[in-house]
């Protein structure tokens, strides 16, 4: 066990954890942040996506030893911001949410994309979501959702 | 339960490495997956580990003389987006996994993992990359093909860390890269093929071909390549069937859960044909 | 979307989209799936499973367990309880006892508070077996390799159907074309793995589960503890995808779980990790369909002799019903003369196969569509041109000698697809170019609801719709929201009937102690059958809308008039109504690597009337892409009885990059006995795309394709042949 200090959703967090424990488990079990899902535990599905130092990562393969000093953002930290709300409602309005298990990860992936590229085309959206598996939607409406988020976000000046 | 360390500095990392032999975890995208264990349990590492992704000293890439130096801890995403990296390496990295994974994984991890299906590894063979290994008492460098000795096997010593990948600057007339994965994105390779050709005054001055996932290690033959040097279009076209046959002997893939030996061999030879066509085009 | 927009459907057509009621909760991560829920004093369980495909189970050596840890096995089943699950068939055991029939069969449960400790204990359990000779394939099963697994001949079920007079045809002198079509295993790959928690509360066993069929589960496990079904309460947790994989299989988890809860009396959780979920849950049945088709001198089909066999795995479960659907679907949308169909569900030592979206129909339709396209090729005709000659029409006869009652809109649909896909011009152009490009097409239908009189005789659905003092309305049904959108569409139906805003209608996840039994969430029946009952109950409620206090309205299933079915002979109307579909897929095959690039996907469906356009298109996109995965990428091989592709790195489902957007179109064709004219659709949209894809590749490489997945390895082999 070791004291690991990091910034979680904007606030300083100190947890005592084995450095080899998965960030995913610490977020879900120790800190109760269950918007982060486990779909595979092997980096393949993106359900566990979070931002680490602003970059999209799979929390199921991030050891706590790599989190010391880092800044972690989960959907809990994003959903009530203008940025998060915009993506969430765009997915909802596009019919992009079915069983919803992949959706939190899809929100994080869209957030990471739109921060870097606020006006992505379809191909760029598909590439940005390519590490997030969804078995329900066939992806069409997710892609539309990101486009809608981009359009609305521009109107609202979210990425200025 | 494995002991784990989180060194704060590079010096500390090499010291821990020397004293304990702890295995470095960089991005963890190979190790955390290979030793994963059910939700809520710790990964099942059979040895002590140390987490090195936080070490700033191990990150960055820059030009030094006639070499591009990529420090060992540099994430794949950084390499993918860097203008000073050879376009074929950038392309190979871009086709690895998916964005989130490329934010974690490193080039050194791909090399040290020593999988014949490592996508960047195949390109690094063709680029003639060297790796730099550092312990608390010495530093050595060697060509990547000397570093990797078998599937999952390298000459890395228990007290060493890989500190950098050094890639000679390379200018070619044309290049060829093709990854055949299990699907269009977020896919492991069934096979891959990297080729470079340099032509001056209608003669081959440099030809390189590296083949991934078709044997226990990436295949590259200095001997076959050197036979092409100096050839013009006619000579190369005459030599081509024989060359293809010789490459065919080096291609010894297996059946596994991702593909079949037959498919891998056939497709690799088809891609070699495409590369040869490119060479002919450059020569004419 | 503002609430007012969300209620546009009250003034406009019912299909006018709304924002799904569950969308915000799910997208914001507030929705709690089973693994997200907190239970006081929760214990975790690991399944201890057979590592042998077929063996005598000699001994299970369990290490000394620390305080608070338990090993649960068949010895813990209370007196009077039975070691069997009351599923569709009762052959699947809760715990293996003297023998094991497949790799992954449950032997015991290891339960305790610390998952790291459980993992270490699990490794110390030593199981000794005496291996027996296993049978893995349909052929090995039929040959009774290693002795019978089931009965004397390994046949779980065999049925025979006859339409017209096939005997006279096949004794004649027609040209006979033979064919054999194969389909493989498919993994559901719902994104949320299987999971549930069992508790003992107020004298009842309460199971909170990711599942499709709460009442099925209640029935399946009550007998194990020798308690009444009412003593088992099943409450559905938000379910992260199911596709049939959470229809019966959760019973196999719930069985051991209730035994553990019975012994320990504390909450116990079983959540599979992905590796377990791929390796040790039920899959789609592999199938082998053989055709002998008689062709006359005018190149017309005069008869078909069909033999279907499906691999049921180690236990029967619902294999016989899957087989029936496969047989009833094996003439797809064609009204062909003189048909003989033999079907067998075969026992083997693979993991038991079970329900998966389409329930046998995808196998039957794929076989038929490919065979018909092979006939077209043999007769040098285009697929679409050849097939449309045999389109069934209103009043036409099905393979069970039933009648098509509804208007069949296939010709109109075909026109639409030909136009949107450019099928004719493109194929002409590509054939001229000799390029490895083509457009393929497939036709399909899917009967909604249970087969035959199942709804009337077995399910007997009941729904309740209530209005409270505040004029808020709640729908009580046992059908679940699992991603398909039923929560929203059911509420729309009630709101539209009552003329009240959507936010005044509620639909909670079912709990068997609260909701009546409106049947399982399967067979594309939720909207067509249960939605209709919601509509009727809402109408009833409307009449008493102004009554004082709270008002309840209940409705029971009534079979539409004119439906005749004999469940012994399988003669008559197997389904009251069908959804219809056409899919076209354009591909280009890489000459060097045999990789396929899908250039376009076009569909037209007749699903009656959409209750929500957006939800319907979402189902079409999802179903079609899942089917294209089945047809192209999703190879699942069995090696020595174990699934070889057992991670998401190796079991390859489509990503965003594998297929372009599906262009989905609908024709309206209201069904009198469905709510607002709706018919079933959830499975229909899966049934045809694999065949369209295979037909496209077939045309592009000019070789008959007889199996899926059509992956580059297969294409390479065909090209070399
Ligand atoms: C979902 C998924 C998709 C993937 N897709 C691809 C793909 O398309 N192509 C591909 O080639 N690979 C792929 N991989 C494999 C993996 O991501 C790469 O091999 C990656 O480059 C590994 O880097 P890492 O830093 O994460 O390695 P780690 O897991 O941290 O380490 C890998 C090995 O390298 C050693 N190591 C790392 N750094 C050092 C160092 N500085 N000195 C000494 N030893 C070191 C470690 O001890 C270990 O043995 C995929 C993995 C996953 C989970
Ligand atoms: S759970 Fe992390 S990628 Fe699937
Ligand atoms: S909505 Fe179900 S997995 Fe994406």
């Amino acid at each position: 066990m070791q004291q690991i200090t990091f910034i979680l959703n904007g606030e300083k967090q100190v947890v005592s954890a084995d450095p080899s424990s998965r960030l995913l488990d610490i977020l879900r079990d120790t800190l109760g942040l269950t918007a982060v899902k486990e779909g595979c535990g092997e980096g393949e599905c993106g359900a566990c996506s979070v931002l680490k130092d602003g970059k999209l990562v799979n929390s199921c393969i991030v050891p706590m030893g790599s989190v010391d000093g880092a800044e972690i953002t989960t959907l809990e930290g994003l959903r009530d911001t203008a940025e998060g709300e915009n993506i969430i409602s765009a997915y909802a309005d596009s019919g992009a949410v079915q069983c919803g298990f992949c959706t939190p990860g899809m929100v994080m992936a869209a957030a990471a994309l739109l921060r870097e590229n606020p006006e992505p085309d379809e191909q760029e959206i598909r590439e940005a979501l390519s590490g997030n598996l969804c078995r329900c939607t066939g992806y069409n409406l997710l892609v539309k959702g990101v486009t809608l988020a981009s359009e609305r976000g521009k109107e609202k000046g979210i990425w200025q | 339960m494995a002991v784990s360390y989180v060194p704060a500095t590079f010096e500390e990392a090499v010291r821990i490495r020397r004293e304990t032999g702890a295995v470095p975890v960089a991005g963890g995208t190979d190790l955390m997956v290979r030793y994963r264990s059910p939700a809520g349990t710790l990964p099942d590492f059979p040895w002590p580990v140390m987490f090195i992704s936080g070490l700033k000293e191990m990150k960055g890439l820059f030009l030094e003389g006639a070499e591009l130096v990529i420090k060992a801890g540099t994430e794949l995403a950084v390499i993918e987006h860097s203008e000073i990296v050879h376009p074929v390496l950038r392309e190979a990295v871009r086709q690895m996994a998916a964005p989130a994974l490329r934010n974690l994984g490193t080039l050194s991890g791909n090399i040290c993992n020593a999988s014949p299906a490592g996508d960047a590894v195949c390109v690094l063979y063709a680029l003639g990359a060297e790796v730099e290994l550092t312990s608390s008492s010495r530093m050595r460098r060697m060509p990547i093909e000397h570093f990797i000795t078998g599937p999952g096997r390298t000459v890395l010593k228990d007290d060493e860390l890989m500190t950098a990948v050094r890639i000679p600057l390379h200018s070619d007339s044309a290049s060829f890269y093709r990854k055949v994965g299990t699907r269009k994105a977020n896919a492991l390779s069934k096979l891959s093929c990297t080729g470079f050709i340099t032509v001056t005054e209608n003669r081959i001055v440099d030809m390189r071909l590296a083949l991934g996932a078709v044997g226990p290690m990436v295949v590259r033959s200095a001997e076959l390549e050197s036979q092409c040097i100096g050839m013009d279009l006619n000579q190369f076209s005459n030599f081509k069937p024989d060359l293809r046959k010789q490459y065919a002997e080096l291609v010894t893939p297996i059946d596994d859960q991702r593909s079949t030996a037959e498919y891998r061999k056939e497709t690799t030879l088809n891609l070699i044909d495409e590369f040869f066509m490119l060479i002919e085009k450059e020569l004419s | 979307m503002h609430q007012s927009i969300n209620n546009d459907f009250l003034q406009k057509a019912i299909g006018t989209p709304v924002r799904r009621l569950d969308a915000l909760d799910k997208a914001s991560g507030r929705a709690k799936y089973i693994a997200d829920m907190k239970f006081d004093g929760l214990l975790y369980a690991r399944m201890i499973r057979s590592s042998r495909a077929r063996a005598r189970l000699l001994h299970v050596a369990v290490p000394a367990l620390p305080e608070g840890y338990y090993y649960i096995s068949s010895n813990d089943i209370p007196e009077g309880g039975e070691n069997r699950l009351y599923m569709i068939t009762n052959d699947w055991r809760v715990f293996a006892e003297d023998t094991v029939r497949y790799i992954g069969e449950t032997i015991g449960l290891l339960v305790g508070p610390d998952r790291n400790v459980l993992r270490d204990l699990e490794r110390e359990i030593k199981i000794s077996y005496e291996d027996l000779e296993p049978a893995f394939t349909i052929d090995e099963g039929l040959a009774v390799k290693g002795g019978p697994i089931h009965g004397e001949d390994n046949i779980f079920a065999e049925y025979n159907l006859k339409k017209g007079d096939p005997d006279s045809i096949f004794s004649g002198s027609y040209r006979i074309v033979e064919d054999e079509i194969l389909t493989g295993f498919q993994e559901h790959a719902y994104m949320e793995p299987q999971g549930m928690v069992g508790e003992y509360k107020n004298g009842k066993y309460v199971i909170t589960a990711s599942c499709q069929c709460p009442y099925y589960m209640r029935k399946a496990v009550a007998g194990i503890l020798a308690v009444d079904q009412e003593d088992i309460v099943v409450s559905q947790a938000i379910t992260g995808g199911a596709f049939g994989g959470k229809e019966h299989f959760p019973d196999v988890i719930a069985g051991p779980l209730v035994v553990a809860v019975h012994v320990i009396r504390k909450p116990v959780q079983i959540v599979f990790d992905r590796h377990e979920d791929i390796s040790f849950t039920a899959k789609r049945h592999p199938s082998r369909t053989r055709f002998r088709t008689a062709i006359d001198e005018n190149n017309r089909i005069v008869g078909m002799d069909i033999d279907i066999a499906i691999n049921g795995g180690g236990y029967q479960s619902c294999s016989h019903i899957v087989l029936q659907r496969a047989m009833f679907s094996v003439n797809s949308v064609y009204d062909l003369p003189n048909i003989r169909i033999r079907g067998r569900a075969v026992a083997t030592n693979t993991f038991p196969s079970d329900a998966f979206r389409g329930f046998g129909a995808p196998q039957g339709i794929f076989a038929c569509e490919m065979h018909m396209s092979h006939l077209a090729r043999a007769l040098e005709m285009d697929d679409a041109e050849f097939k449309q000659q045999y389109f069934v029409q209103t009043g036409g006869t099905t393979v069970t000698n039933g009648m098509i009652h509804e208007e069949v809109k296939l010709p109109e649909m075909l026109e639409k697809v030909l136009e949107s896909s450019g099928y004719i011009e493109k194929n002409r152009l590509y054939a001229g170019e000799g390029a490895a490009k083509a457009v393929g097409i497939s036709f399909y239908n899917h009967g909604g609801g249970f087969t035959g009189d199942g709804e009337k005789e077995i399910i007997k659905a009941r729904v309740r719709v209530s209005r409270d003092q505040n004029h808020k309305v709640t729908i009580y049904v046992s059908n679940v929201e699992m991603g398909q959108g039923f929560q929203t569409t059911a509420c729309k139906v009630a709101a539209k009937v009552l003329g009240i805003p959507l936010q005044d209608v509620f639909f909670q996840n079912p709990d068997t102690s609260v909701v009546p039994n409106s049947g399982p969430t399967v067979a594309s029946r939720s909207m067509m059958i249960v939605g209709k009952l919601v509509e009727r109950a809402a109408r009833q409620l409307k009449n008493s809308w102004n009554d004082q206090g709270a008002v309840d309205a209940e409705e029971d299933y009534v079979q539409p008039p004119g439906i005749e079915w004999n469940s012994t002979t399988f003669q008559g109307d197997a389904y009251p109504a069908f959804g219809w579909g056409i899919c076209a897929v354009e591909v280009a095959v890489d000459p060097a690597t045999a990789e396929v690039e899908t250039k376009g996907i076009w569909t037209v469906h007749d699903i009656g009337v959409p209750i929500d356009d957006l939800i319907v298109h979402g189902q079409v996109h999802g179903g079609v892409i899942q089917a294209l995965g089945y047809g192209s990428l999703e190879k699942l091989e069995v090696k020595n009885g174990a699934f070889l592709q057992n991670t998401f790195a190796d079991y390859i489902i489509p990503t965003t990059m594998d297929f372009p957007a599906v262009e989905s179109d609908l024709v309206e064709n209201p069904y009198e006995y469905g709510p607002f004219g709706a018919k079933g659709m959830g499975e229909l949209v899966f049934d045809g795309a694999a065949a369209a894809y295979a037909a496209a590749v077939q045309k592009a490489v000019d070789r008959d394709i007889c199996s899926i997945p059509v992956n580059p390895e297969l294409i390479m082999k065909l090209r070399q042949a």
Side-chain angles (χ1 to χ4, degrees), chain C residues 144-159:
Chain C
V144 199
K145 187 177 172 201
I149 302 158
H150 170 92
E152 292 188 344
D153 53 6
N154 283 345
I155 304 289
F156 284 135
E158 170 161 0
Y159 307 113

Side-chain angles (χ1 to χ4, degrees), chain B residues 1 35-44 178-186 188 190 256-260 262-263 266-267 270-271 274, chain C residues 46 115-116 119 123 273 275 590-597 633 637 644-645 647-650 652-655 657-658 712-713 716-717 720:
Chain B
M1 216 182 290
Y35 296 100
R36 77 178 180 281
S37 159
T41 65
L42 294 173
D44 212 7
R178 192 75 193 263
K179 162 178 175 168
V180 179
T182 50
R183 63 184 159 206
K184 301 243 166 354
N186 202 9
L188 296 171
K190 293 176 181 176
D256 65 9
Q257 72 275 24
R258 287 182 204 128
S259 190
T260 62
E262 193 191 351
Y263 174 81
E266 182 73 23
T267 304
N270 289 346
L271 293 179
E274 290 201 346
Chain C
R46 297 278 307 157
R115 286 174 284 182
N116 281 303
R119 180 188 66 181
R123 286 194 188 135
D273 62 40
H275 169 73
D590 187 292
T593 65
E595 290 171 293
V596 178
E597 169 95 38
L633 298 169
E637 297 163 289
L644 194 56
Q645 291 78 10
T647 64
F648 269 163
D650 293 330
I652 303 300
I653 66 171
T655 67
M657 302 290 283
D658 290 284
E713 286 76 6
M716 184 75 78
K717 220 186 229 151
Q720 285 166 348

Side-chain angles (χ1 to χ4, degrees), chain A residues 133-155:
Chain A
L133 297 176
C134 172
R135 191 59 154 171
C136 298
T137 64
Y139 304 107
N140 250 19
L141 298 177
L142 281 159
V143 172
K144 290 219 168 110
V146 179
T147 308
L148 184 62
S150 157
E151 287 162 9
R152 287 183 181 171
K154 201 172 140 206
E155 277 166 33

